[in-house]
Amino acid sequence: MAETYDYDLFVIGAGSGGVRAARLTALGGKRVAIAEEHRVGGTCVIRGCVPKKFMVMASDFAHQFKTAEGYGWTVEASFDWPEFIQNKDVEIARLSGIYAANLGKAGVDLVHGRAVLRDAHTVEIIGKDLTVTAEKILIATGGRPWMPADLPGIEHAITSEEAFHLPELPKRILIAGGGYIAVEFAGIFAGLGVETTLIYRGPNILRGFDDDVRAHLAGEIEKRGIKVILGCQHSAIEKTATGLMNRLENGMEIETDVVMFATGREPHVKDLGLEAAGVALNDNGAIRVDAFSKTTADNIWAIGDVTDRMNLTPVAIREAVAFHETVYRDNPQHFDYEAVATAVFSQPPVGIVGLSESEARHSCPGAVDVYVTRFRPMKYAFTGSDERMLMKLVVDGESQKVVGVHIVGPEAPEMIQLAAIAVKAGLTKAQWDATCAVHPTMAEELVTLKDKQRPGSMAAG
């Protein structure tokens, strides 16, 4: 006799990936439950992409006001941090409520509490006196900020999660890290008038991005008033009567009101009971999965940041859809991680898709053609701003397919979404060139680049 379970599917983690998988499966007629230890919506909605974008938009008004003066506007403005935080929290609560409501409409049982695996089919909700069984289990618990636990004074630092709820706007902040979270928050605080310092132990920010993008953005954010210190990290943080003293390994001492660490995120696997369920981790501490998101336990799958494959919200959603198609619709699918566009909401922002120049030179069989332009956007032509835009196309010299697009400047995230379609479709440089430009726009540069960049040369501005 076949064993019966309380649910056909139990999902641990109600972020974007977990919610999508639960809803699709329940709408298909299966008995589904989902557990969330914090708030429905996960990192992206509650403490990531969405509130961060609100903060980016709020902070960018200062730059827009300054630009407006060049167009004849006289602007008298002030910023109210508590009011902004309140309005942001109201909107986040609304979005979280929509996620929860949609789960209910689909017939998913929502359990508020921390779920722990007791075996491959049994889940306990801690503190709820509740234990349930499920035929299949999906883990979608995401990631959490990482900080160096052995750094003296680290207890005085915050992460991006606390930055969303600061009771007051600091006058001085130091941000440790060089990834997209660090760069984005540096722009946020600087835009809001905070004296901002960014320190990173590497030779340049945004490790893993195209070198031209890294160098260009580093220069542009310094124009926005951000002090960037590279090749350096903390030796200690000490609380003083007037703030926090950041002692750096190069001997520098910088006093600030807030110290924020954005030094990476790690899969949220602590105390999940994975070993009891037969779920193994990989060398990076993420849940080990195959191409179809199945773990080392036959009835357990994992998607999203907890697998540390490509940590982007839209990717987690696509992995959720692939999971549902594979497991419940007899239509095996796995997500294609090639040519996935992404954006960094720095100021100015970055949009990229495909290969960097370095990656292309290692992976393309023959030569690589590179087209680069740097120019001042029309918007700043008579405002006195020296802000520059970067656009770069990386082309496989043999096939002439455009394999990488890199943009730094206004509206880069919006442009890269459309450029990603062309890269994903494998269009050639000739096909890009055959596309008529929209004038006057910044984006027209993408289809009017004619001169190849010589290796080792710098494109003219």
Side-chain angles (χ1 to χ4, degrees):
M1 181 177 178
E3 186 172 355
T4 58
Y5 300 97
D6 297 319
Y7 292 100
D8 298 307
L9 174 67
F10 194 98
V11 181
I12 303 176
S16 297
V19 166
R20 179 62 60 90
R23 288 183 63 234
L24 288 175
T25 305
L27 289 170
K30 300 296 183 180
R31 298 167 301 154
V32 181
I34 189 169
E36 174 55 52
E37 61 180 309
H38 297 299
R39 296 171 66 186
V40 177
T43 295
C44 182
V45 174
I46 306 301
R47 53 190 175 272
C49 326
V50 175
K52 174 202 66 185
K53 186 70 178 290
F54 287 141
M55 294 179 81
V56 169
M57 291 187 288
S59 64
D60 190 50
F61 278 108
H63 184 65
Q64 294 181 40
F65 293 149
K66 185 176 181 180
T67 302
E69 293 175 1
Y71 284 84
W73 288 89
T74 298
V75 181
E76 295 181 7
S78 61
F79 179 71
D80 189 322
W81 173 262
E83 181 178 356
F84 166 72
I85 293 298
Q86 179 180 337
N87 292 340
K88 180 263 298 178
D89 289 345
V90 168
E91 177 62 11
I92 296 306
R94 185 185 74 85
L95 294 174
S96 179
I98 290 173
Y99 270 65
N102 286 341
L103 286 168
K105 291 175 184 177
V108 179
D109 289 344
L110 174 58
V111 181
H112 293 281
R114 184 168 67 89
V116 175
L117 295 165
R118 294 308 180 199
D119 60 42
H121 292 280
T122 306
V123 180
E124 178 185 358
I125 309 302
I126 303 301
K128 297 284 186 178
D129 192 27
L130 176 64
T131 299
V132 299
T133 59
E135 180 184 10
K136 296 179 175 62
I137 294 170
L138 176 66
I139 302 170
T141 49
R144 293 293 183 272
W146 176 88
M147 292 200 295
D150 58 348
L151 177 68
I154 191 64
E155 68 273 11
H156 301 305
I158 66 168
T159 70
S160 59
E161 295 190 356
E162 293 78 45
F164 291 120
H165 304 285
L166 289 173
E168 60 184 21
L169 191 64
K171 291 182 172 59
R172 306 163 298 173
I173 190 170
L174 184 144
I175 300 174
Y180 72 93
I181 296 175
V183 170
E184 289 170 341
F185 272 95
I188 288 168
F189 284 109
L192 295 176
V194 179
E195 183 182 312
T196 304
T197 302
L198 179 69
I199 67 167
Y200 179 51
R201 65 180 182 177
N204 209 344
I205 58 175
L206 293 184
R207 180 171 61 88
F209 284 67
D210 186 90
D211 287 338
D212 281 334
V213 169
R214 301 173 73 190
H216 187 87
L217 183 63
E220 292 299 311
I221 66 174
E222 286 189 307
K223 293 177 185 177
R224 299 285 184 109
I226 299 169
K227 183 178 182 180
V228 180
I229 303 173
L230 299 171
C232 187
Q233 58 186 342
H234 279 88
S235 59
I237 303 170
E238 295 180 12
K239 188 171 180 60
T240 68
T242 53
L244 296 172
M245 184 60 70
N246 297 272
R247 304 195 187 280
L248 308 184
E249 290 183 342
N250 64 0
M252 292 182 65
E253 295 183 347
I254 304 173
E255 188 178 65
T256 60
D257 305 304
V258 173
V259 180
M260 175 182 153
F261 269 71
T263 46
R265 295 176 66 84
E266 58 186 359
H268 184 41
V269 296
K270 184 179 179 181
D271 299 327
L272 274 179
L274 299 180
E275 186 175 344
V279 176
L281 303 179
N282 62 24
D283 292 340
N284 295 325
I287 293 179
R288 184 191 303 167
V289 292
D290 64 14
F292 296 94
S293 296
K294 179 179 277 192
T295 73
T296 49
D298 283 341
N299 67 301
I300 300 177
W301 287 256
I303 59 172
D305 292 8
V306 76
T307 67
D308 197 28
R309 287 175 285 184
M310 184 174 285
N311 298 341
L312 297 169
T313 297
V315 171
I317 293 171
R318 289 293 192 95
E319 290 172 350
V321 174
F323 157 79
H324 174 72
E325 290 290 327
T326 299
V327 177
Y328 290 106
R329 294 180 61 85
D330 195 26
N331 180 29
Q333 290 186 8
H334 59 81
F335 180 67
D336 178 8
Y337 297 93
E338 288 190 11
V340 174
T342 188
V344 181
F345 292 98
S346 48
Q347 298 179 44
V350 176
I352 67 165
V353 63
L355 303 178
S356 68
E357 180 180 347
S358 176
E359 289 170 336
R361 294 195 185 283
H362 283 91
S363 61
C364 293
V368 173
D369 298 334
V370 177
Y371 301 81
V372 182
T373 182
R374 295 174 178 85
F375 61 94
R376 183 169 59 182
M378 182 179 178
K379 184 176 182 178
Y380 304 130
F382 57 93
T383 64
S385 171
D386 62 348
E387 183 169 323
R388 311 287 284 182
M389 189 147 192
L390 168 74
M391 290 186 175
K392 180 173 183 176
L393 299 183
V394 181
V395 180
D396 183 328
E398 185 175 295
S399 68
Q400 281 298 293
K401 290 181 179 179
V402 177
V403 295
V405 181
H406 308 269
I407 308 173
V408 183
E411 310 304 330
E414 302 294 339
M415 285 186 251
I416 207 65
Q417 178 66 84
L418 298 180
I421 299 172
V423 174
K424 192 72 172 177
L427 300 188
T428 65
K429 180 64 166 59
Q431 289 171 310
W432 282 65
D433 294 344
T435 303
C436 187
V438 178
H439 180 75
T441 66
M442 295 175 290
E444 68 181 294
E445 296 287 339
L446 292 171
V447 297
T448 57
L449 285 168
K450 303 300 182 186
D451 297 326
K452 297 178 188 178
Q453 180 181 353
R454 296 188 306 276
S457 69
M458 295 293 288

